[in-house]
Amino acid sequence: MSKWLVQHFILGGYTVILMAGMIGTGKTTYAEFLSQQLESEIYYESVVDNPILPDYYKNPKRWAFPLQIYFLNTRFKTIRQARTNPDNVLDRSLYEDLIFAELNFDSGNMTQLEFDTYKDLLETMMNEIDKMPKSRADLLIYLDSDLDTVLERITQRGRSYEQVDKNPELLAYYKTLHGKYKEWIKAYDKTPVLIIESKEYNIFDKQDQDKILSLVNTELKRLHSLEGEPALMNETR
């Protein structure tokens, strides 16, 4: 049994981890790695099979509201499904959803009525989540990164509709989104948080994997010993 699993059982055998961070920071890769170590279920954000996303990048004013409702619905269903398993890792949290809705509203892609409708639905879903068993996650892992690294990774993964070449408006969108995430994580207080600078680690390198596991284990152990209020912890190397 790995040290990670030993620590997991010491902490009571029930662990919920959320990943958060801007596009291109590596949330899915981290989530897959952690779920393997935890021997748990992983729950993915609906991106590759999202029927609206490519159209949104072409015409955000037309598709912003349908896209937000689609994401809100799929993320809520993912959380509800995840509650049926004792351990799980989610590659994106519902808590981030408002970032994108606010950005679309501020950019003029959503009307006031659409934005108000979205927020009302989000509040309803949040209230339902609060009623569920194990409503609060043990830990949200926030992957921080500079914008240049994010853009490089977006280019590397090669989704055509995400590329900024010949699309200055999309580059401006990414810059604004990057700033929104910086503001969001400073104010976030729904769960304990561990901030990891993703540029500093190669998730495919064994030594860095051990370092990442050590960070997560240490923080979970600390939170378990405190059994107190949500905390914000930056990584230490």
Side-chain angles (χ1 to χ4, degrees), residues 222-237:
R222 186 184 72 84
L223 292 170
H224 180 69
S225 65
L226 289 176
E227 296 182 349
E229 295 298 318
L232 175 66
M233 173 184 171
N234 282 282
E235 59 169 311
T236 56
R237 300 193 71 191

Side-chain angles (χ1 to χ4, degrees), residues 4-203:
W4 165 259
L5 287 175
V6 170
Q7 183 66 68
H8 162 62
F9 286 117
I10 290 174
L11 292 174
Y14 195 122
T15 304
V16 179
I17 294 175
L18 306 177
M19 301 303 305
M22 186 180 159
I23 299 166
T25 52
K27 297 182 298 297
T28 299
T29 305
Y30 269 73
E32 289 174 344
F33 169 64
L34 292 174
S35 69
Q36 289 171 0
Q37 297 298 314
L38 186 60
E39 295 184 356
S40 70
E41 293 290 330
I42 180 171
Y43 295 88
Y44 294 96
E45 179 185 26
S46 177
V47 173
V48 176
D49 59 346
N50 187 320
I52 302 175
L53 198 56
D55 290 327
Y56 167 79
Y57 278 103
K58 294 176 184 177
N59 189 351
K61 283 184 169 56
R62 165 64 180 85
W63 293 103
F65 182 65
L67 179 67
Q68 289 298 152
I69 297 302
Y70 178 89
F71 271 132
L72 192 59
N73 184 46
T74 55
R75 287 168 183 163
F76 177 74
K77 288 194 293 185
T78 297
I79 289 175
R80 191 166 57 183
Q81 183 182 6
R83 300 301 182 200
T84 64
N85 290 310
D87 304 296
N88 50 75
V89 181
L90 284 72
D91 77 339
R92 188 186 288 277
S93 76
L94 185 64
Y95 300 115
E96 297 168 78
D97 206 74
L98 186 59
I99 298 174
F100 295 89
E102 287 180 342
L103 182 54
N104 275 308
F105 176 67
D106 293 343
S107 301
N109 296 332
M110 290 171 63
T111 66
Q112 184 68 60
L113 177 59
E114 288 173 333
F115 187 50
D116 290 343
T117 301
Y118 163 84
K119 288 192 295 183
D120 185 58
L121 183 57
L122 176 62
E123 182 179 357
T124 299
M125 289 183 173
M126 288 294 191
N127 290 335
E128 287 300 311
I129 290 173
D130 288 341
K131 297 175 185 177
M132 295 178 185
K134 186 67 175 180
S135 61
R136 197 184 79 168
D138 295 278
L139 185 64
L140 181 140
I141 300 176
Y142 178 80
L143 299 181
D144 201 6
S145 181
D146 61 272
L147 183 60
D148 287 340
T149 300
V150 166
L151 294 175
E152 180 181 344
R153 289 176 177 172
I154 289 173
T155 300
Q156 289 174 349
R157 73 184 182 186
R159 294 173 187 160
S160 59
Y161 55 83
E162 291 181 342
Q163 305 309 310
V164 300
D165 296 346
K166 302 177 184 179
N167 192 345
E169 291 184 1
L170 187 54
L171 177 59
Y173 170 80
Y174 287 148
K175 288 180 179 179
T176 304
L177 182 60
H178 188 261
K180 284 277 190 183
Y181 261 101
K182 294 288 188 181
E183 296 172 3
W184 175 78
I185 195 59
K186 289 179 182 178
Y188 178 81
D189 61 357
K190 301 298 184 182
T191 65
V193 176
L194 171 65
I195 298 177
I196 295 179
E197 176 52 64
S198 62
K199 186 178 180 179
E200 299 299 320
Y201 299 95
N202 177 0
I203 189 64

